[in-house]
Amino acid sequence: MGANAQPMNGSPTRVLLIESNVADSELVEQALASAIGHPFHLETVSLLASGLERLGCEKFQVVLLDLALPDGQDLEAFDQVFLAAPNALILILCSASDENVARQAVQRGADDYLVKGHVDTHWLSRALYYLLERKEIREALRTSEARFRAISDASPLGIFVSDSEGSCVYTNEAYHKISGLSFEQTLGTNWMTAIHPEDRKRVLTEWRDAAMGLEPFQTEYRFLQEEGTVVWTRVSSAPMYEGTQPHGRVKTVEDITPRKQAEFALQAAEEALFDERERAQVTLNSIGDAVLTTDVAGNVTYLNRVAEAMTGWSWQDALGHPLSEVFNIIDGTTREVASNPATRAVKEDRTVGLAADCVLVRRDGYESAIEDSAAPIHNRDAQDAGAVIVFHDVSKSRAMALKMAHLAQHDFLTDLPNRALLTERLTQAISLAQRHHKQVALLFLDLDHFKHINDSLGHTVGDQLLQSVAERLAACVRVSDTVCRQGGDEFVILLAEIARPHDTTLVAEKLLAAFALPHVIGGQDLHITLSIGISVYPDDGDNVETVMQNADTAMYHAKANGRNTYQFFTGEMNTEAVRRQQIESSLRRALKRGEFLLHYQPQVDLASGEMTGVEALIRWLDPNVGLLHPGRFVSIAEESGLIVPIGRWALREACRQTQLWLKRGLFAVPVSVNISAIEFRHKDFLAGVELILKETGLPAAYLELELTESILMHDADSSASMLGALKEMGVKLAIDDFGTGYSSLSYLRRFPIDTLKIDQSFVRAIGTNDDDATIVSAVIGMGINLKQRVIAEGVETSEQLAFLRARQCAGGQGFLFSRPMPPDDFAGLLVDEVVSLPR
């Protein structure tokens, strides 16, 4: 029996009767008093309050409650009693008319109800004991179920109990955790619905086979929770029997996700290890390097395919052999056996390399230069397990390295030492000369007019000529001397040791004599001469840079002195070089600070005196020296490349000023601007002219570009193309200093020239030199016949003017008409429009 019930042969069952009707109370008392073998101890109260008070003080196994009390009726009275004695057997005493209320009380927790008037002495005691016994059984069942659930919930295994139809009737906490469902959510569900779709077919097949034989069932599958989370489970199932008939099944569900993850990780690791081994094998057989491994005893354990090919040993043949037999290496210089790199790697516990110039002797005796490195191999316990050697054939790369080293120090065309090797040898020669108190000479050579040959006959012929020059130079000096190609058409000869400077003179004269003979190139004789500059250590410098620079300076002086000669360096040459460097620096400053300006000199119609054009002449207002004419700086600007930005400024300024005069309504005339060869050949020249015209707004017809004959004849085809493009823009074209260069009627017809300008050297000699006067007359006649305007430059006397007029020269320019003047002064001439001519 339960804790609240009394055994049949024990102490009396305590009963509290709460009844306000005396007759009904007496009837109950009589019935319980007459109970045989089942003693009851009855207390009776007539008020609800009294009953509640007793229940608060004593424990009663049975409460008989009338729902029609003076101080409490119906269900409200029951609720108070049930709250005061939740574990007691509560029977409701009611009249037949209140039976419906009594049923509601039973639904709210009462154990049963008795209808007054139907209670007899024998039946009441037996009913009470029956109800007490039933209550005790129910309590025991609840206790048992609670104990089972506590045990079940303490289990790490999920438990799923289903009826014979497969519907869930019970689950424990572990199952709730695995499934993600509450107890209420699991009731009535079928365990199969949570099987992952990919596992369902397999699991159901296994389940049917087990169910048909009524055998225990066990499998593993993925449990799919409602939100999509997957839990790996192991499920065991066995039938439950009621008698001999199956009455459902109980299943245990174990979360094996960690184990499965470990299994998958292990499987992945095994697969990765296998893949890694395969990959390593494929990689080792695919790389260009040979790979060889040894055990700790130095015996071969592995060779990849490249190692097999280079050693001549197969892996199977080499396995277990000493490394020295398979990897037979010798010193390429001494031919002695080289030290074993694997032994060193293990001994020193580090990566080591082979000695330089190491040679591998293949099994069949073939030799190949190799480079390698060896590294120790360690096991899991960090103990030495052997070594790995990685090596490759460097025969070709060593040969290539030697070739590249040679190319790095030699000229690719002539195979002579280049500037880098010359610098190295000159440094060594100076060092030796300093110790032995000797002298060293350096000859800087430049081929005279080589550019003309290269441009006219082509680069192929030019290259062949340079090769011939190199051979002839080398033949003129000692083996101990060095002939170097400095670049382009410049060569340098190092005389490593001379007794006196006169020795250098002999070499220079020998060179000039040798080059008096022609070079036979492509079946034709080509004549080329040398300009030689000489500097001597220590007289002309105590270091490499100074000696080379002074020889270069002397060479430029040899060119200035007529070419085909030699010049020793002097201090005065250095002074001139410094002066030129200072001018170059000042030119750069002048560009930045805007120190250049233009003066304008009119071009005049010799018949009418009308101004027909103006030439823009550049001037440099140096803040330290004053106003400088072009002769003082243009040649240096050309040599330094500064002529391009200076010329671009002059062109822009001339266009800007002419457009300004036009806007002011003055009698503006076309402006002529001199263009140097460097400017004309610059890749951006055409685009620059077009841009300047566009930006200044000057009509192209107001711009005339003056170019010399030598510029145009440098590359006649290219010149014709350039001039054509300029004419398409509308720009006028003039040949400046005509008669001083390479004149040809054919090119005059070919080029779209508007004006010929007779050089002032011819005009100046009109009255004193008949030849020059004849040249002037011829040029004027040529221009008239070719319908080209002719302007004589440098007209300074009335006699010159009269001569030119007599031969119908169209125009003139010179001091006789006007000196060049600043733009503000020149604007006054534009007002007059006519220049007054002498009679």
Side-chain angles (χ1 to χ4, degrees):
M1 290 190 179
N4 296 319
Q6 302 295 331
M8 294 294 184
N9 55 358
S11 57
T13 299
R14 292 174 61 81
V15 180
L16 176 62
L17 173 63
I18 306 175
E19 175 62 72
S20 60
N21 187 294
V22 177
D24 289 338
S25 297
E26 290 176 351
L27 181 62
V28 171
E29 289 174 2
Q30 292 173 5
L32 295 182
S34 61
I36 301 174
H38 306 289
F40 291 94
H41 177 76
L42 178 68
E43 289 189 29
T44 303
V45 295
S46 58
L47 296 174
L48 176 61
S50 301
L52 293 174
E53 182 180 352
R54 291 298 296 145
L55 288 172
C57 298
E58 300 288 343
K59 289 186 177 180
F60 292 88
Q61 283 79 40
V62 180
V63 177
L64 302 177
L65 175 61
D66 182 11
L67 292 181
L69 299 171
D71 57 346
Q73 293 86 30
D74 301 332
L75 295 176
E76 182 181 351
F78 166 74
D79 290 341
Q80 295 184 59
V81 171
F82 184 75
L83 185 64
N87 297 320
L89 174 68
I90 302 176
L91 262 66
I92 303 301
L93 301 176
C94 66
S95 61
S97 61
D98 293 331
E99 192 171 354
N100 186 49
V101 176
R103 290 193 188 95
Q104 294 181 43
V106 171
Q107 292 176 355
R108 297 172 76 146
D111 291 280
D112 212 335
Y113 67 91
L114 300 174
V115 180
K116 294 180 182 180
H118 296 280
V119 179
D120 59 36
T121 303
H122 177 72
W123 183 87
L124 179 60
S125 62
R126 289 180 64 84
L128 285 179
Y129 271 102
Y130 168 75
L131 291 172
L132 281 170
E133 187 174 278
R134 189 181 70 177
K135 183 176 181 65
E136 288 173 357
I137 291 171
R138 192 183 302 123
E139 289 295 328
L141 180 60
R142 269 200 295 267
T143 301
S144 176
E145 287 178 348
R147 186 179 298 113
F148 170 76
R149 178 166 289 281
I151 294 171
S152 172
D153 287 344
S155 171
L157 300 179
I159 298 175
F160 182 98
V161 181
S162 60
D163 59 19
S164 57
E165 300 299 324
S167 297
C168 176
V169 296
Y170 172 78
T171 52
N172 70 343
E173 282 296 326
Y175 184 85
H176 301 157
K177 184 177 180 181
I178 293 170
S179 66
L181 302 173
S182 65
F183 176 75
E184 291 74 15
Q185 290 174 315
T186 62
L187 292 179
T189 61
N190 190 299
W191 68 278
M192 298 180 185
T193 59
I195 301 174
H196 194 282
E198 295 178 5
D199 299 337
R200 185 182 300 277
K201 183 178 180 180
R202 171 184 60 82
V203 174
L204 293 183
T205 300
E206 295 173 358
W207 167 257
R208 291 191 198 97
D209 293 344
M212 288 178 64
L214 297 178
E215 296 175 354
F217 166 74
Q218 187 176 80
T219 190
E220 294 179 357
Y221 64 84
R222 285 167 288 180
F223 190 106
L224 191 60
Q225 295 182 350
E226 283 189 347
E227 70 277 12
T229 303
V230 173
V231 180
W232 269 99
T233 59
R234 179 170 64 187
V235 176
S236 300
S237 176
M240 296 186 301
Y241 291 91
E242 191 171 293
T244 58
Q245 296 298 317
H247 188 61
R249 295 186 79 91
V250 60
K251 303 171 187 66
T252 60
V253 183
E254 180 184 359
D255 184 350
I256 60 171
T257 302
R259 193 200 78 196
K260 277 292 184 181
Q261 290 174 339
E263 287 180 3
F264 293 148
L266 179 60
Q267 181 181 358
E270 290 175 347
E271 292 176 355
L273 180 60
F274 178 81
D275 291 344
E276 192 64 31
R277 285 175 178 170
E278 284 295 302
R279 190 179 298 112
Q281 187 67 38
V282 172
T283 301
L284 289 173
N285 284 330
S286 301
I287 62 176
D289 285 351
V291 180
L292 181 153
T293 62
T294 70
D295 59 21
V296 72
N299 297 319
V300 175
T301 58
Y302 172 78
L303 289 89
N304 72 346
R305 290 175 184 169
V306 178
E308 289 178 332
M310 291 187 65
T311 61
W313 289 74
S314 69
W315 181 3
Q316 291 76 13
D317 290 346
L319 193 64
H321 281 263
L323 176 64
S324 58
E325 289 185 23
V326 179
F327 190 61
N328 181 14
I329 51 175
I330 60 173
D331 187 296
T333 303
T334 65
R335 309 297 295 175
E336 295 180 357
V337 175
S339 62
N340 188 326
T343 303
R344 282 181 55 216
V346 173
K347 182 179 179 181
E348 300 175 15
D349 195 27
R350 66 181 182 88
T351 300
V352 299
L354 267 181
D357 198 25
C358 207
V359 173
L360 172 66
V361 182
R362 200 166 62 189
R363 198 174 187 181
D364 61 4
Y366 177 82
E367 297 183 1
S368 55
I370 63 168
E371 289 180 353
D372 86 338
S373 64
I377 300 174
H378 301 112
N379 59 21
R380 292 182 179 179
D381 300 324
Q383 300 297 316
D384 291 332
V388 57
I389 304 174
V390 180
F391 56 99
H392 57 276
D393 189 340
V394 296
S395 301
K396 291 182 180 179
S397 61
R398 280 188 185 173
M400 181 58 71
L402 292 173
K403 183 177 180 181
M404 295 300 292
H406 180 82
L407 290 176
Q409 294 186 321
H410 289 77
D411 174 54
F412 75 95
L413 179 63
T414 63
D415 202 38
L416 291 177
N418 60 12
R419 182 185 181 93
L421 184 54
L422 172 69
T423 302
E424 180 182 322
R425 291 185 180 178
L426 179 57
T427 301
Q428 295 171 354
I430 288 176
S431 179
L432 288 171
Q434 189 176 23
R435 284 200 299 270
H436 298 108
H437 305 289
K438 299 289 185 180
Q439 292 180 310
V440 174
L442 199 70
L443 285 71
F444 206 108
L445 292 74
D446 185 87
L447 305 183
D448 298 328
H449 304 298
F450 172 78
K451 193 172 188 309
H452 175 71
I453 295 176
N454 202 41
D455 291 343
S456 59
L457 300 180
H459 293 290
T460 300
V461 173
D463 289 346
Q464 292 173 348
L465 177 59
L466 289 173
Q467 292 169 339
S468 178
V469 166
E471 293 175 2
R472 194 168 295 185
L473 291 176
C476 292
V477 298
R478 301 168 298 184
V479 176
S480 59
D481 298 326
T482 298
V483 179
C484 154
R485 184 185 178 203
Q486 187 80 344
D489 60 350
E490 294 181 338
F491 294 81
V492 177
I493 296 177
L494 167 64
L495 305 181
E497 184 177 318
I498 59 172
R500 57 189 184 279
H502 179 67
D503 296 342
T504 308
T505 302
L506 297 176
V507 173
E509 290 177 347
K510 183 179 181 180
L511 290 170
L512 294 176
F515 276 77
L517 301 174
H519 296 262
V520 181
I521 306 296
Q524 58 182 326
D525 292 346
L526 298 181
H527 292 268
I528 194 86
T529 57
L530 303 176
S531 293
I532 305 173
I534 304 171
S535 66
V536 178
Y537 169 86
D539 298 343
D540 300 326
D542 59 359
N543 57 68
V544 171
E545 291 77 13
T546 304
V547 171
M548 289 186 69
Q549 181 179 340
N550 289 342
D552 186 26
T553 300
M555 182 272 292
Y556 276 105
H557 277 265
K559 276 191 174 296
N561 288 337
R563 295 182 169 84
N564 193 25
T565 186
Y566 61 89
Q567 285 284 325
F568 280 89
F569 174 78
T570 63
E572 291 75 12
M573 294 179 184
N574 212 19
T575 303
E576 175 63 17
V578 170
R579 185 191 70 81
R580 295 176 70 87
Q581 181 60 41
Q582 289 175 342
I583 291 176
E584 181 179 334
S585 299
S586 298
L587 283 173
R588 296 183 187 280
R589 181 204 67 211
L591 268 173
K592 291 180 181 179
R593 298 183 181 179
E595 295 175 4
F596 295 108
L597 49 87
L598 294 182
H599 282 189
Y600 298 87
Q601 187 175 34
Q603 296 170 348
V604 179
D605 185 301
L606 297 185
S608 65
E610 181 180 351
M611 191 187 312
T612 58
V614 58
E615 182 176 0
L617 301 168
I618 193 166
R619 300 290 186 265
W620 174 16
L621 186 59
D622 188 308
N624 300 316
V625 180
L627 192 66
L628 297 176
H629 286 242
R632 298 281 298 276
F633 61 85
V634 165
S635 61
I636 298 175
E638 289 178 338
E639 291 174 9
S640 64
L642 292 173
I643 195 65
V644 173
I646 293 173
R648 189 179 296 119
W649 173 86
L651 180 60
R652 182 184 298 276
E653 177 61 18
C655 291
R656 185 197 67 80
Q657 182 62 65
T658 305
Q659 177 63 10
L660 181 61
W661 287 328
L662 284 171
K663 283 186 176 180
R664 289 169 56 184
L666 297 176
F667 178 70
V669 291
V671 61
S672 296
V673 180
N674 285 283
I675 302 298
S676 69
I678 297 174
E679 292 176 81
F680 188 67
R681 298 300 171 195
H682 194 274
K683 61 183 179 66
D684 296 327
F685 177 69
L686 283 176
V689 172
E690 188 173 18
L691 180 63
I692 288 172
L693 289 173
K694 181 179 178 181
E695 290 180 348
T696 60
L698 181 69
Y702 279 88
L703 174 63
E704 183 174 65
L705 301 181
E706 295 187 5
L707 304 108
T708 64
E709 295 169 273
S710 58
I711 293 176
L712 299 180
M713 292 309 298
H714 171 75
D715 184 343
D717 292 336
S718 174
S719 296
S721 175
M722 292 275 284
L723 295 177
L726 290 167
K727 287 300 290 183
E728 286 182 6
M729 291 184 202
V731 174
K732 297 179 184 300
L733 301 170
I735 295 181
D736 193 21
D737 299 337
F738 186 76
T740 61
Y742 182 82
S743 301
S744 169
L745 286 174
S746 62
Y747 89 77
L748 285 177
R749 286 196 298 267
R750 181 179 178 189
F751 296 152
I753 301 300
D754 298 293
T755 303
L756 298 179
K757 297 189 73 175
I758 304 173
D759 185 66
Q760 60 181 345
S761 62
F762 299 119
V763 175
R764 190 177 301 118
I766 282 175
T768 59
N769 189 312
D770 292 341
D771 291 338
D772 287 345
T774 302
I775 291 174
V776 172
S777 298
V779 172
I780 295 172
M782 185 187 304
I784 293 172
N785 291 329
L786 293 175
K787 296 181 174 53
Q788 292 173 340
R789 184 165 170 261
V790 179
I791 295 179
E793 296 182 294
V795 181
E796 298 180 355
T797 67
S798 298
E799 292 77 9
Q800 293 167 353
L801 175 59
F803 180 90
L804 294 170
R805 277 176 168 171
R807 285 151 184 81
Q808 298 181 342
C809 182
Q813 177 182 340
F815 290 171
L816 182 63
F817 312 119
S818 171
R819 288 182 176 274
M821 59 184 68
D824 291 343
D825 295 342
F826 186 78
L829 291 181
L830 294 178
V831 174
D832 296 336
E833 301 183 13
V834 176
V835 176
S836 164
L837 299 180
R839 293 297 176 185

